[in-house]
Amino acid sequence: MKKISIDETKLPAVMEIIEKAALLMDEKDCDSDKEAKKELGELQKNLREITGNKKIKINIFQAYWSYTDLETTARRALMPPPMKSNLSNEQLKEIVLHILKFGEGERDWWLEYLEINTGLDNLTDYIFYPDLIGLDFDATLEQIADKIIADRK
């Protein structure tokens, strides 16, 4: 399983862009205020350039502070978008068995990666609420991995 690396030198700039955008969206109506909309568009353009992710949408960071911190958010923005790959059952199991060892941003990336590669849009239920998908609440990660493999589409 590969480690997801980011360009640490870009982290301060990404943090600044996200913080400015979040404050702007919190303080102004960026849909009807033309100046605010223009400024937000520039911030999005800058974020896309620095991250290299042409599909990233700045509005997803509107209230990042309600669920995480700025550095984690910026690190996640710098990670490449998860892609579909030919994930074997063994590789899938390895990811699930190690998923809770990752920090928040990297764990979120791996969860999204697993969703894309299993076709299970409720994958977080498997990991964090196994009782919702037919397992015991205290199911082991091995049992969870086996259930994900059995249910993958």
Side-chain angles (χ1 to χ4, degrees), residues 2 82-93 95 113-114 116-118 152-153:
K2 65 181 179 188
M83 305 297 257
K84 180 98 171 129
S85 61
N86 283 332
L87 188 63
S88 71
N89 289 344
E90 293 78 27
Q91 290 169 315
L92 188 152
K93 191 170 223 170
I95 294 167
Y113 177 81
L114 287 172
I116 291 167
N117 284 283
T118 62
R152 79 191 291 189
K153 299 173 182 170

mmCIF file with all atom_site columns, all heavy atoms in Angstrom, residues 2 82-93 95 113-114 116-118 152-153:
data_model
loop_
_atom_site.group_PDB
_atom_site.id
_atom_site.type_symbol
_atom_site.label_atom_id
_atom_site.label_alt_id
_atom_site.label_comp_id
_atom_site.label_asym_id
_atom_site.label_entity_id
_atom_site.label_seq_id
_atom_site.pdbx_PDB_ins_code
_atom_site.Cartn_x
_atom_site.Cartn_y
_atom_site.Cartn_z
_atom_site.occupancy
_atom_site.B_iso_or_equiv
_atom_site.pdbx_formal_charge
_atom_site.auth_seq_id
_atom_site.auth_comp_id
_atom_site.auth_asym_id
_atom_site.auth_atom_id
_atom_site.pdbx_PDB_model_num
ATOM 1   N N   . LYS A 1 2   ? 0.618   2.132   -0.903  1.00 0.00 ? 2   LYS A N   1
ATOM 2   C CA  . LYS A 1 2   ? 1.461   3.313   -1.066  1.00 0.00 ? 2   LYS A CA  1
ATOM 3   C C   . LYS A 1 2   ? 1.085   4.410   -0.062  1.00 0.00 ? 2   LYS A C   1
ATOM 4   O O   . LYS A 1 2   ? -0.051  4.534   0.371   1.00 0.00 ? 2   LYS A O   1
ATOM 5   C CB  . LYS A 1 2   ? 1.346   3.852   -2.482  1.00 0.00 ? 2   LYS A CB  1
ATOM 6   C CG  . LYS A 1 2   ? -0.053  4.378   -2.793  1.00 0.00 ? 2   LYS A CG  1
ATOM 7   C CD  . LYS A 1 2   ? -0.185  4.885   -4.198  1.00 0.00 ? 2   LYS A CD  1
ATOM 8   C CE  . LYS A 1 2   ? -1.621  5.359   -4.362  1.00 0.00 ? 2   LYS A CE  1
ATOM 9   N NZ  . LYS A 1 2   ? -2.014  5.710   -5.634  1.00 0.00 ? 2   LYS A NZ  1
ATOM 10  N N   . PRO A 1 82  ? -8.560  10.452  -5.842  1.00 0.00 ? 82  PRO A N   1
ATOM 11  C CA  . PRO A 1 82  ? -8.532  8.984   -5.945  1.00 0.00 ? 82  PRO A CA  1
ATOM 12  C C   . PRO A 1 82  ? -9.080  8.539   -7.296  1.00 0.00 ? 82  PRO A C   1
ATOM 13  O O   . PRO A 1 82  ? -10.020 9.133   -7.815  1.00 0.00 ? 82  PRO A O   1
ATOM 14  C CB  . PRO A 1 82  ? -9.461  8.521   -4.822  1.00 0.00 ? 82  PRO A CB  1
ATOM 15  C CG  . PRO A 1 82  ? -9.646  9.687   -3.932  1.00 0.00 ? 82  PRO A CG  1
ATOM 16  C CD  . PRO A 1 82  ? -9.437  10.907  -4.771  1.00 0.00 ? 82  PRO A CD  1
ATOM 17  N N   . MET A 1 83  ? -8.474  7.515   -7.853  1.00 0.00 ? 83  MET A N   1
ATOM 18  C CA  . MET A 1 83  ? -8.870  7.028   -9.167  1.00 0.00 ? 83  MET A CA  1
ATOM 19  C C   . MET A 1 83  ? -9.285  5.558   -9.090  1.00 0.00 ? 83  MET A C   1
ATOM 20  O O   . MET A 1 83  ? -8.874  4.830   -8.208  1.00 0.00 ? 83  MET A O   1
ATOM 21  C CB  . MET A 1 83  ? -7.697  7.151   -10.143 1.00 0.00 ? 83  MET A CB  1
ATOM 22  C CG  . MET A 1 83  ? -7.123  8.555   -10.248 1.00 0.00 ? 83  MET A CG  1
ATOM 23  S SD  . MET A 1 83  ? -8.300  9.712   -10.869 1.00 0.00 ? 83  MET A SD  1
ATOM 24  C CE  . MET A 1 83  ? -7.738  9.870   -12.513 1.00 0.00 ? 83  MET A CE  1
ATOM 25  N N   . LYS A 1 84  ? -10.059 5.155   -10.063 1.00 0.00 ? 84  LYS A N   1
ATOM 26  C CA  . LYS A 1 84  ? -10.459 3.756   -10.209 1.00 0.00 ? 84  LYS A CA  1
ATOM 27  C C   . LYS A 1 84  ? -9.244  2.956   -10.652 1.00 0.00 ? 84  LYS A C   1
ATOM 28  O O   . LYS A 1 84  ? -8.474  3.385   -11.508 1.00 0.00 ? 84  LYS A O   1
ATOM 29  C CB  . LYS A 1 84  ? -11.582 3.655   -11.256 1.00 0.00 ? 84  LYS A CB  1
ATOM 30  C CG  . LYS A 1 84  ? -12.069 2.260   -11.493 1.00 0.00 ? 84  LYS A CG  1
ATOM 31  C CD  . LYS A 1 84  ? -13.326 2.002   -10.711 1.00 0.00 ? 84  LYS A CD  1
ATOM 32  C CE  . LYS A 1 84  ? -13.936 0.680   -11.114 1.00 0.00 ? 84  LYS A CE  1
ATOM 33  N NZ  . LYS A 1 84  ? -14.227 -0.152  -9.992  1.00 0.00 ? 84  LYS A NZ  1
ATOM 34  N N   . SER A 1 85  ? -9.056  1.797   -10.035 1.00 0.00 ? 85  SER A N   1
ATOM 35  C CA  . SER A 1 85  ? -7.961  0.904   -10.429 1.00 0.00 ? 85  SER A CA  1
ATOM 36  C C   . SER A 1 85  ? -8.437  -0.535  -10.277 1.00 0.00 ? 85  SER A C   1
ATOM 37  O O   . SER A 1 85  ? -9.505  -0.787  -9.739  1.00 0.00 ? 85  SER A O   1
ATOM 38  C CB  . SER A 1 85  ? -6.726  1.165   -9.569  1.00 0.00 ? 85  SER A CB  1
ATOM 39  O OG  . SER A 1 85  ? -6.999  0.916   -8.207  1.00 0.00 ? 85  SER A OG  1
ATOM 40  N N   . ASN A 1 86  ? -7.655  -1.454  -10.757 1.00 0.00 ? 86  ASN A N   1
ATOM 41  C CA  . ASN A 1 86  ? -7.989  -2.870  -10.610 1.00 0.00 ? 86  ASN A CA  1
ATOM 42  C C   . ASN A 1 86  ? -7.517  -3.328  -9.237  1.00 0.00 ? 86  ASN A C   1
ATOM 43  O O   . ASN A 1 86  ? -6.444  -3.887  -9.085  1.00 0.00 ? 86  ASN A O   1
ATOM 44  C CB  . ASN A 1 86  ? -7.322  -3.709  -11.706 1.00 0.00 ? 86  ASN A CB  1
ATOM 45  C CG  . ASN A 1 86  ? -8.028  -3.581  -13.021 1.00 0.00 ? 86  ASN A CG  1
ATOM 46  O OD1 . ASN A 1 86  ? -9.228  -3.322  -13.049 1.00 0.00 ? 86  ASN A OD1 1
ATOM 47  N ND2 . ASN A 1 86  ? -7.309  -3.763  -14.109 1.00 0.00 ? 86  ASN A ND2 1
ATOM 48  N N   . LEU A 1 87  ? -8.334  -3.078  -8.252  1.00 0.00 ? 87  LEU A N   1
ATOM 49  C CA  . LEU A 1 87  ? -8.002  -3.391  -6.867  1.00 0.00 ? 87  LEU A CA  1
ATOM 50  C C   . LEU A 1 87  ? -8.357  -4.840  -6.581  1.00 0.00 ? 87  LEU A C   1
ATOM 51  O O   . LEU A 1 87  ? -9.513  -5.241  -6.692  1.00 0.00 ? 87  LEU A O   1
ATOM 52  C CB  . LEU A 1 87  ? -8.801  -2.445  -5.952  1.00 0.00 ? 87  LEU A CB  1
ATOM 53  C CG  . LEU A 1 87  ? -8.506  -2.435  -4.473  1.00 0.00 ? 87  LEU A CG  1
ATOM 54  C CD1 . LEU A 1 87  ? -7.065  -1.978  -4.220  1.00 0.00 ? 87  LEU A CD1 1
ATOM 55  C CD2 . LEU A 1 87  ? -9.455  -1.484  -3.759  1.00 0.00 ? 87  LEU A CD2 1
ATOM 56  N N   . SER A 1 88  ? -7.340  -5.626  -6.235  1.00 0.00 ? 88  SER A N   1
ATOM 57  C CA  . SER A 1 88  ? -7.590  -7.036  -5.909  1.00 0.00 ? 88  SER A CA  1
ATOM 58  C C   . SER A 1 88  ? -8.213  -7.132  -4.514  1.00 0.00 ? 88  SER A C   1
ATOM 59  O O   . SER A 1 88  ? -8.151  -6.193  -3.721  1.00 0.00 ? 88  SER A O   1
ATOM 60  C CB  . SER A 1 88  ? -6.280  -7.831  -5.939  1.00 0.00 ? 88  SER A CB  1
ATOM 61  O OG  . SER A 1 88  ? -5.464  -7.466  -4.836  1.00 0.00 ? 88  SER A OG  1
ATOM 62  N N   . ASN A 1 89  ? -8.800  -8.287  -4.225  1.00 0.00 ? 89  ASN A N   1
ATOM 63  C CA  . ASN A 1 89  ? -9.364  -8.512  -2.895  1.00 0.00 ? 89  ASN A CA  1
ATOM 64  C C   . ASN A 1 89  ? -8.293  -8.393  -1.813  1.00 0.00 ? 89  ASN A C   1
ATOM 65  O O   . ASN A 1 89  ? -8.547  -7.862  -0.733  1.00 0.00 ? 89  ASN A O   1
ATOM 66  C CB  . ASN A 1 89  ? -10.036 -9.884  -2.818  1.00 0.00 ? 89  ASN A CB  1
ATOM 67  C CG  . ASN A 1 89  ? -11.320 -9.936  -3.626  1.00 0.00 ? 89  ASN A CG  1
ATOM 68  O OD1 . ASN A 1 89  ? -11.876 -8.909  -4.015  1.00 0.00 ? 89  ASN A OD1 1
ATOM 69  N ND2 . ASN A 1 89  ? -11.796 -11.140 -3.874  1.00 0.00 ? 89  ASN A ND2 1
ATOM 70  N N   . GLU A 1 90  ? -7.090  -8.855  -2.105  1.00 0.00 ? 90  GLU A N   1
ATOM 71  C CA  . GLU A 1 90  ? -5.996  -8.783  -1.141  1.00 0.00 ? 90  GLU A CA  1
ATOM 72  C C   . GLU A 1 90  ? -5.598  -7.330  -0.879  1.00 0.00 ? 90  GLU A C   1
ATOM 73  O O   . GLU A 1 90  ? -5.355  -6.946  0.268   1.00 0.00 ? 90  GLU A O   1
ATOM 74  C CB  . GLU A 1 90  ? -4.776  -9.583  -1.633  1.00 0.00 ? 90  GLU A CB  1
ATOM 75  C CG  . GLU A 1 90  ? -4.999  -11.077 -1.705  1.00 0.00 ? 90  GLU A CG  1
ATOM 76  C CD  . GLU A 1 90  ? -5.805  -11.519 -2.929  1.00 0.00 ? 90  GLU A CD  1
ATOM 77  O OE1 . GLU A 1 90  ? -5.784  -10.830 -3.987  1.00 0.00 ? 90  GLU A OE1 1
ATOM 78  O OE2 . GLU A 1 90  ? -6.494  -12.546 -2.831  1.00 0.00 ? 90  GLU A OE2 1
ATOM 79  N N   . GLN A 1 91  ? -5.532  -6.514  -1.930  1.00 0.00 ? 91  GLN A N   1
ATOM 80  C CA  . GLN A 1 91  ? -5.199  -5.101  -1.760  1.00 0.00 ? 91  GLN A CA  1
ATOM 81  C C   . GLN A 1 91  ? -6.290  -4.383  -0.978  1.00 0.00 ? 91  GLN A C   1
ATOM 82  O O   . GLN A 1 91  ? -6.008  -3.573  -0.095  1.00 0.00 ? 91  GLN A O   1
ATOM 83  C CB  . GLN A 1 91  ? -5.017  -4.430  -3.129  1.00 0.00 ? 91  GLN A CB  1
ATOM 84  C CG  . GLN A 1 91  ? -3.783  -4.885  -3.864  1.00 0.00 ? 91  GLN A CG  1
ATOM 85  C CD  . GLN A 1 91  ? -3.776  -4.401  -5.309  1.00 0.00 ? 91  GLN A CD  1
ATOM 86  O OE1 . GLN A 1 91  ? -4.789  -4.494  -6.012  1.00 0.00 ? 91  GLN A OE1 1
ATOM 87  N NE2 . GLN A 1 91  ? -2.632  -3.911  -5.743  1.00 0.00 ? 91  GLN A NE2 1
ATOM 88  N N   . LEU A 1 92  ? -7.531  -4.685  -1.292  1.00 0.00 ? 92  LEU A N   1
ATOM 89  C CA  . LEU A 1 92  ? -8.663  -4.086  -0.585  1.00 0.00 ? 92  LEU A CA  1
ATOM 90  C C   . LEU A 1 92  ? -8.582  -4.429  0.905   1.00 0.00 ? 92  LEU A C   1
ATOM 91  O O   . LEU A 1 92  ? -8.720  -3.564  1.770   1.00 0.00 ? 92  LEU A O   1
ATOM 92  C CB  . LEU A 1 92  ? -9.968  -4.599  -1.181  1.00 0.00 ? 92  LEU A CB  1
ATOM 93  C CG  . LEU A 1 92  ? -11.262 -3.955  -0.694  1.00 0.00 ? 92  LEU A CG  1
ATOM 94  C CD1 . LEU A 1 92  ? -12.312 -4.024  -1.786  1.00 0.00 ? 92  LEU A CD1 1
ATOM 95  C CD2 . LEU A 1 92  ? -11.769 -4.569  0.566   1.00 0.00 ? 92  LEU A CD2 1
ATOM 96  N N   . LYS A 1 93  ? -8.320  -5.675  1.190   1.00 0.00 ? 93  LYS A N   1
ATOM 97  C CA  . LYS A 1 93  ? -8.235  -6.123  2.585   1.00 0.00 ? 93  LYS A CA  1
ATOM 98  C C   . LYS A 1 93  ? -7.097  -5.407  3.312   1.00 0.00 ? 93  LYS A C   1
ATOM 99  O O   . LYS A 1 93  ? -7.248  -4.971  4.456   1.00 0.00 ? 93  LYS A O   1
ATOM 100 C CB  . LYS A 1 93  ? -8.046  -7.631  2.641   1.00 0.00 ? 93  LYS A CB  1
ATOM 101 C CG  . LYS A 1 93  ? -8.209  -8.210  4.015   1.00 0.00 ? 93  LYS A CG  1
ATOM 102 C CD  . LYS A 1 93  ? -8.241  -9.721  3.949   1.00 0.00 ? 93  LYS A CD  1
ATOM 103 C CE  . LYS A 1 93  ? -9.332  -10.220 4.867   1.00 0.00 ? 93  LYS A CE  1
ATOM 104 N NZ  . LYS A 1 93  ? -9.618  -11.622 4.738   1.00 0.00 ? 93  LYS A NZ  1
ATOM 105 N N   . ILE A 1 95  ? -5.870  -2.435  2.737   1.00 0.00 ? 95  ILE A N   1
ATOM 106 C CA  . ILE A 1 95  ? -6.276  -1.048  3.006   1.00 0.00 ? 95  ILE A CA  1
ATOM 107 C C   . ILE A 1 95  ? -7.214  -1.002  4.207   1.00 0.00 ? 95  ILE A C   1
ATOM 108 O O   . ILE A 1 95  ? -7.024  -0.197  5.124   1.00 0.00 ? 95  ILE A O   1
ATOM 109 C CB  . ILE A 1 95  ? -6.940  -0.416  1.763   1.00 0.00 ? 95  ILE A CB  1
ATOM 110 C CG1 . ILE A 1 95  ? -5.921  -0.266  0.636   1.00 0.00 ? 95  ILE A CG1 1
ATOM 111 C CG2 . ILE A 1 95  ? -7.551  0.945   2.121   1.00 0.00 ? 95  ILE A CG2 1
ATOM 112 C CD1 . ILE A 1 95  ? -6.531  0.052   -0.726  1.00 0.00 ? 95  ILE A CD1 1
ATOM 113 N N   . TYR A 1 113 ? -11.216 6.423   -2.021  1.00 0.00 ? 113 TYR A N   1
ATOM 114 C CA  . TYR A 1 113 ? -10.606 5.464   -2.948  1.00 0.00 ? 113 TYR A CA  1
ATOM 115 C C   . TYR A 1 113 ? -11.352 4.128   -2.918  1.00 0.00 ? 113 TYR A C   1
ATOM 116 O O   . TYR A 1 113 ? -11.665 3.539   -3.960  1.00 0.00 ? 113 TYR A O   1
ATOM 117 C CB  . TYR A 1 113 ? -9.128  5.278   -2.586  1.00 0.00 ? 113 TYR A CB  1
ATOM 118 C CG  . TYR A 1 113 ? -8.395  4.262   -3.421  1.00 0.00 ? 113 TYR A CG  1
ATOM 119 C CD1 . TYR A 1 113 ? -7.906  4.606   -4.678  1.00 0.00 ? 113 TYR A CD1 1
ATOM 120 C CD2 . TYR A 1 113 ? -8.171  2.968   -2.963  1.00 0.00 ? 113 TYR A CD2 1
ATOM 121 C CE1 . TYR A 1 113 ? -7.211  3.677   -5.450  1.00 0.00 ? 113 TYR A CE1 1
ATOM 122 C CE2 . TYR A 1 113 ? -7.493  2.037   -3.719  1.00 0.00 ? 113 TYR A CE2 1
ATOM 123 C CZ  . TYR A 1 113 ? -7.015  2.400   -4.965  1.00 0.00 ? 113 TYR A CZ  1
ATOM 124 O OH  . TYR A 1 113 ? -6.338  1.480   -5.734  1.00 0.00 ? 113 TYR A OH  1
ATOM 125 N N   . LEU A 1 114 ? -11.654 3.655   -1.711  1.00 0.00 ? 114 LEU A N   1
ATOM 126 C CA  . LEU A 1 114 ? -12.386 2.400   -1.580  1.00 0.00 ? 114 LEU A CA  1
ATOM 127 C C   . LEU A 1 114 ? -13.802 2.502   -2.148  1.00 0.00 ? 114 LEU A C   1
ATOM 128 O O   . LEU A 1 114 ? -14.287 1.566   -2.777  1.00 0.00 ? 114 LEU A O   1
ATOM 129 C CB  . LEU A 1 114 ? -12.433 1.942   -0.120  1.00 0.00 ? 114 LEU A CB  1
ATOM 130 C CG  . LEU A 1 114 ? -11.130 1.397   0.450   1.00 0.00 ? 114 LEU A CG  1
ATOM 131 C CD1 . LEU A 1 114 ? -11.264 1.161   1.953   1.00 0.00 ? 114 LEU A CD1 1
ATOM 132 C CD2 . LEU A 1 114 ? -10.704 0.119   -0.263  1.00 0.00 ? 114 LEU A CD2 1
ATOM 133 N N   . ILE A 1 116 ? -14.799 4.392   -4.611  1.00 0.00 ? 116 ILE A N   1
ATOM 134 C CA  . ILE A 1 116 ? -14.658 4.379   -6.067  1.00 0.00 ? 116 ILE A CA  1
ATOM 135 C C   . ILE A 1 116 ? -14.372 2.966   -6.572  1.00 0.00 ? 116 ILE A C   1
ATOM 136 O O   . ILE A 1 116 ? -14.899 2.541   -7.597  1.00 0.00 ? 116 ILE A O   1
ATOM 137 C CB  . ILE A 1 116 ? -13.538 5.350   -6.516  1.00 0.00 ? 116 ILE A CB  1
ATOM 138 C CG1 . ILE A 1 116 ? -13.973 6.799   -6.282  1.00 0.00 ? 116 ILE A CG1 1
ATOM 139 C CG2 . ILE A 1 116 ? -13.141 5.123   -7.971  1.00 0.00 ? 116 ILE A CG2 1
ATOM 140 C CD1 . ILE A 1 116 ? -12.850 7.814   -6.401  1.00 0.00 ? 116 ILE A CD1 1
ATOM 141 N N   . ASN A 1 117 ? -13.564 2.233   -5.832  1.00 0.00 ? 117 ASN A N   1
ATOM 142 C CA  . ASN A 1 117 ? -13.114 0.925   -6.303  1.00 0.00 ? 117 ASN A CA  1
ATOM 143 C C   . ASN A 1 117 ? -13.986 -0.248  -5.864  1.00 0.00 ? 117 ASN A C   1
ATOM 144 O O   . ASN A 1 117 ? -13.762 -1.372  -6.318  1.00 0.00 ? 117 ASN A O   1
ATOM 145 C CB  . ASN A 1 117 ? -11.659 0.699   -5.888  1.00 0.00 ? 117 ASN A CB  1
ATOM 146 C CG  . ASN A 1 117 ? -10.724 1.490   -6.778  1.00 0.00 ? 117 ASN A CG  1
ATOM 147 O OD1 . ASN A 1 117 ? -10.466 1.092   -7.902  1.00 0.00 ? 117 ASN A OD1 1
ATOM 148 N ND2 . ASN A 1 117 ? -10.253 2.628   -6.300  1.00 0.00 ? 117 ASN A ND2 1
ATOM 149 N N   . THR A 1 118 ? -14.968 0.002   -5.002  1.00 0.00 ? 118 THR A N   1
ATOM 150 C CA  . THR A 1 118 ? -15.884 -1.080  -4.614  1.00 0.00 ? 118 THR A CA  1
ATOM 151 C C   . THR A 1 118 ? -17.303 -0.823  -5.107  1.00 0.00 ? 118 THR A C   1
ATOM 152 O O   . THR A 1 118 ? -18.113 -1.748  -5.147  1.00 0.00 ? 118 THR A O   1
ATOM 153 C CB  . THR A 1 118 ? -15.947 -1.241  -3.083  1.00 0.00 ? 118 THR A CB  1
ATOM 154 O OG1 . THR A 1 118 ? -16.458 -0.042  -2.499  1.00 0.00 ? 118 THR A OG1 1
ATOM 155 C CG2 . THR A 1 118 ? -14.597 -1.610  -2.499  1.00 0.00 ? 118 THR A CG2 1
ATOM 156 N N   . ARG A 1 152 ? -18.976 -5.841  -2.701  1.00 0.00 ? 152 ARG A N   1
ATOM 157 C CA  . ARG A 1 152 ? -18.500 -4.924  -3.754  1.00 0.00 ? 152 ARG A CA  1
ATOM 158 C C   . ARG A 1 152 ? -19.231 -5.180  -5.055  1.00 0.00 ? 152 ARG A C   1
ATOM 159 O O   . ARG A 1 152 ? -19.634 -6.295  -5.356  1.00 0.00 ? 152 ARG A O   1
ATOM 160 C CB  . ARG A 1 152 ? -16.985 -4.982  -3.896  1.00 0.00 ? 152 ARG A CB  1
ATOM 161 C CG  . ARG A 1 152 ? -16.445 -6.160  -4.662  1.00 0.00 ? 152 ARG A CG  1
ATOM 162 C CD  . ARG A 1 152 ? -14.953 -6.345  -4.570  1.00 0.00 ? 152 ARG A CD  1
ATOM 163 N NE  . ARG A 1 152 ? -14.205 -5.308  -5.253  1.00 0.00 ? 152 ARG A NE  1
ATOM 164 C CZ  . ARG A 1 152 ? -12.895 -5.370  -5.446  1.00 0.00 ? 152 ARG A CZ  1
ATOM 165 N NH1 . ARG A 1 152 ? -12.182 -6.371  -5.000  1.00 0.00 ? 152 ARG A NH1 1
ATOM 166 N NH2 . ARG A 1 152 ? -12.292 -4.398  -6.077  1.00 0.00 ? 152 ARG A NH2 1
ATOM 167 N N   . LYS A 1 153 ? -19.398 -4.129  -5.825  1.00 0.00 ? 153 LYS A N   1
ATOM 168 C CA  . LYS A 1 153 ? -20.163 -4.209  -7.078  1.00 0.00 ? 153 LYS A CA  1
ATOM 169 C C   . LYS A 1 153 ? -19.259 -4.305  -8.273  1.00 0.00 ? 153 LYS A C   1
ATOM 170 O O   . LYS A 1 153 ? -18.150 -3.907  -8.286  1.00 0.00 ? 153 LYS A O   1
ATOM 171 C CB  . LYS A 1 153 ? -21.067 -2.981  -7.195  1.00 0.00 ? 153 LYS A CB  1
ATOM 172 C CG  . LYS A 1 153 ? -22.046 -2.918  -6.044  1.00 0.00 ? 153 LYS A CG  1
ATOM 173 C CD  . LYS A 1 153 ? -22.821 -1.646  -6.045  1.00 0.00 ? 153 LYS A CD  1
ATOM 174 C CE  . LYS A 1 153 ? -23.736 -1.632  -4.826  1.00 0.00 ? 153 LYS A CE  1
ATOM 175 N NZ  . LYS A 1 153 ? -24.378 -0.445  -4.546  1.00 0.00 ? 153 LYS A NZ  1
#
